[in-house]
Amino acid sequence: MNKYSIEQFIKQTEQVDKGEGFFELETPRILEVNLDGLVWAKAGSMVSYEGKIKFEREGILEHGLSAMFKKALTSEGTSLMKANGQGKLYLADSGKKIIILHLQNEAIYVNGNDLLAFELSIKHDIKLMRKVAGMMAGGLFNVRCEGTGLVAITAHYEPLTLRVTPGKPVITDPNATVAWSGNLQPEIQTDISFKTFIGRGSGESIQMRFEGEGFVIVQPYEEVYMQAQS
């Protein structure tokens, strides 16, 4: 068989059932959901599906007035959709690498732009970091996922997980921060000297400071969903 033939290309790239369950990494950047019921997914993340699946955007009152007001306060509100039915659903987000996490009565905070999909058994709640709103255009929001079940998150390139231990805080760039453990409550800090050195428009002068015990996931890429106000 010719190494560049269509037949060879199909053989190398075709979908293969791996029997991994509800969530399956078909490629490092395409998530297969073996759907028999309902799953939450990022709006616009569907790239293909097989079977009978219906899609519905998250209703504005889906989670009550509190969630509605949180969405109204940010220009980058987490837009979710429900996929309901039976079949194979394929999800992706701008070619980002996909990480599957199985929560076992645990909680994790995910940058609102990096949450790809999660099981119905996972409770989710939008959290706004209000202190940022006055410093950054659009503010900063994240989603707290809690319970037992699967969560799929995304990162540009290869993610790095940093341990946070007592007395050794971890400081990150908000635009490069993907997720962190549910017990951590980051504080927003500004580095005035760094801001003066780089320039007043630099978003890197605003940082997230994590203290306590847990972990933070960062990516080698600044996903600019917010800009410093001048």
Side-chain angles (χ1 to χ4, degrees), residues 82-226:
K82 288 185 288 186
N84 195 358
Q86 292 182 319
K88 292 184 180 296
L89 171 63
Y90 298 95
L91 305 174
D93 184 16
S94 301
K96 294 160 69 176
K97 188 178 178 69
I98 299 170
I99 304 121
I100 299 174
L101 300 173
H102 185 194
L103 303 188
Q104 300 180 61
N105 196 27
E106 297 167 299
I108 188 171
Y109 286 96
V110 184
N111 177 307
N113 201 42
D114 297 323
L115 182 60
L116 181 63
F118 55 92
E119 285 193 90
L120 189 61
S121 58
I122 298 293
K123 296 179 182 178
H124 71 287
D125 187 24
I126 297 173
K127 301 290 185 180
L128 294 175
M129 301 191 72
R130 300 182 186 279
K131 288 183 180 180
V132 189
M135 297 182 285
M136 306 290 280
L140 176 65
F141 74 100
N142 49 73
V143 183
R144 180 181 171 88
C145 295
E146 185 173 11
T148 297
L150 295 169
V151 177
I153 66 177
T154 59
H156 286 277
Y157 310 108
E158 301 299 325
L160 174 68
T161 300
L162 302 170
R163 291 279 188 178
V164 181
T165 56
K168 293 184 178 180
V170 171
I171 294 89
T172 67
D173 179 339
N175 290 316
T177 307
V178 173
W180 59 92
S181 47
N183 60 306
L184 295 179
Q185 297 292 332
E187 291 291 327
I188 296 297
Q189 69 177 28
T190 56
D191 189 328
I192 301 300
S193 60
F194 193 46
K195 185 173 184 177
T196 303
F197 178 73
I198 298 295
R200 295 190 61 186
S202 173
E204 290 182 344
S205 62
I206 296 175
Q207 303 157 353
M208 297 175 73
R209 181 184 179 92
F210 296 87
E211 291 194 74
E213 189 160 4
F215 64 87
V216 183
I217 303 171
V218 294
Q219 61 185 3
Y221 182 94
E222 290 188 44
E223 195 164 11
V224 183
Y225 52 88
M226 59 181 183

